[in-house]
Amino acid sequence: MAAKVIDGKALAATVRQEFKRRTDSLIEAGLRPGLAVILVGDNPASRAYVRNKTKACADVGIYSLLSEFTVNTPQDDILRHIHQLNADPAIHGILVQLPLPPHFDLRLILDAIAQEKDVDGFHLYNVGGLISGNTVFPPCTPYGVQRLLESENIDVAGQNVVVVGASNIVGKPMALMLLQRDATVCICHAKTRDLAQFTVLADILIVAAGKPNLILPEMVKTSAVVIDVGINRLPDGRLIGDVDFEGVRQKASYITPVPGGVGPMTVTMLLGNTVESAERFAALRH
Ligand code: NAP
């Protein structure tokens, strides 16, 4: 039987209603959640992601402030701006859209964000918190995947989870978050020899490599849960994931589509982290 397709768009819409209700309550209490987005350079994909995030904020009632910097902006100007946002009571979340142009010191910039406003979860404190299970904010893409699994009551405890992709923003935090939930986790990357010998063992396979059709049906265990984080744009403009969706869905028990799977949940969890942050600020006022 073909896999159940997990509808990330529908789940995102439901979860956003919850975040809208929480935003409305905060506004009633005199505090509108605020997200600052920093965009450096003119990467068209980054610009599209930022547009998507600020629109999503508007949809749930979160105030968003977009600050744009040219690629030639001195790094100190960006750091100074982050420090101003750290001190701004109207702002509860700050994110720097990645990737940054390569001449910027990514670590220095991310670590300039106040921990309590680090809604993307990339500050070193948050990264370290993934090890011990007490982040201030979980990073949004793995958090979205976790929420997708929960929505289908897929318990990860004791399951073999294979994460394909070991980046700092998706693969590694994803693996640590699932380990924290008692999964047995294996992380694969570009230098993994014979990827299939790992992926066939996965009860839950999470793929975030950015390689179209990396995962073929013969690499997937029958009835596995397959979560496709990858986003790849084909020359004809279509978006596809890293998984051969049509082939693998005949074998898996659950699968996420691209688009309409993990993507909408990533932005949704960013909204959630921002609302959560605003609630913490509100609690401190009392
Ligand atoms: P990244 O920084 O380029 O990392 C890719 C990871 O995949 C690296 O660890 C790399 O290994 C590994 N990899 C590359 N080719 C591989 C192969 N043939 N076999 C096994 N592993 C391989 O990318 P990212 O930022 O993590 O993003 C990954 C994908 O997810 C991209 O398509 C991105 O667009 C998408 N994404 C989607 C969302 C969403 O919301 N849906 C959010 C973020 C990212 P090495 O470490 O050895 O180089």
Side-chain angles (χ1 to χ4, degrees):
M1 207 169 72
K4 176 171 181 193
V5 178
I6 307 178
D7 187 344
K9 207 170 159 194
L11 177 64
T14 306
V15 175
R16 282 182 200 200
Q17 280 172 12
E18 175 206 322
F19 296 152
K20 178 159 183 1
R21 275 194 296 277
R22 286 163 60 185
T23 300
D24 290 346
S25 306
L26 282 163
I27 293 171
E28 259 173 47
L31 187 149
R32 179 186 287 274
L35 174 70
V37 180
I38 297 172
L39 176 63
V40 185
D42 50 9
N43 178 333
S46 292
R47 193 166 288 282
Y49 287 132
V50 162
R51 218 175 16 246
N52 201 1
K53 288 170 185 175
T54 52
K55 181 182 176 306
C57 281
D59 289 347
V60 298
I62 295 174
Y63 161 69
S64 69
L65 174 71
L66 171 61
S67 309
E68 295 189 52
F69 295 91
T70 67
V71 69
N72 296 320
T73 305
Q75 180 163 286
D76 280 350
D77 288 6
I78 296 171
L79 290 170
R80 203 170 305 115
H81 184 62
I82 292 175
H83 290 134
Q84 282 165 2
L85 294 170
N86 285 342
D88 185 343
I91 296 298
H92 308 97
I94 303 170
L95 81 82
V96 176
Q97 182 62 44
L98 301 182
L100 275 179
H103 61 280
F104 288 98
D105 183 338
L106 176 67
R107 198 66 268 162
L108 191 70
I109 288 180
L110 293 180
D111 290 348
I113 297 171
Q115 291 160 25
E116 66 275 16
K117 296 190 179 185
D118 177 38
V119 288
D120 244 353
F122 296 149
H123 185 288
L124 203 51
Y125 181 91
N126 262 318
V127 175
L130 288 166
I131 300 282
S132 53
N134 53 356
T135 52
V136 183
F137 297 105
C140 302
T141 301
Y143 197 14
V145 171
Q146 186 181 301
R147 203 60 199 253
L148 279 167
L149 293 171
E150 285 168 5
S151 75
E152 297 295 338
N153 295 314
I154 297 166
D155 186 5
V156 302
Q159 301 290 311
N160 285 347
V161 177
V162 176
V163 180
V164 180
S167 72
N168 289 339
I169 64 168
V170 189
K172 284 184 207 160
M174 184 79 256
L176 289 166
M177 285 165 73
L178 294 171
L179 180 63
Q180 193 67 35
R181 283 173 167 64
D182 298 325
T184 302
V185 183
C186 164
I187 312 180
C188 301
H189 46 78
K191 292 181 194 68
T192 299
R193 276 182 283 122
D194 190 4
L195 182 62
Q197 73 169 320
F198 296 96
T199 58
V200 288
L201 296 177
D203 302 310
I204 301 172
L205 178 61
I206 300 175
V207 192
K211 300 280 175 241
N213 291 317
L214 179 65
I215 303 298
L216 302 172
E218 59 270 27
M219 299 167 74
V220 176
K221 180 169 153 179
T222 302
S223 297
V225 174
V226 180
I227 306 290
D228 192 351
V229 183
I231 302 176
N232 306 287
R233 191 170 287 282
L234 296 179
D236 64 9
R238 274 185 306 137
L239 285 184
I240 63 166
D242 292 350
V243 175
D244 166 11
F245 180 80
E246 286 308 329
V248 171
R249 77 184 286 200
Q250 302 307 326
K251 206 167 170 190
S253 55
Y254 292 89
I255 191 167
T256 57
V258 178
V262 176
M265 286 305 291
T266 294
V267 179
T268 301
M269 300 325 283
L270 171 68
L271 302 177
N273 279 349
T274 305
V275 174
E276 173 81 35
S277 176
E279 287 171 347
R280 291 177 190 165
F281 276 86
L284 285 176
R285 287 197 317 190
H286 295 299

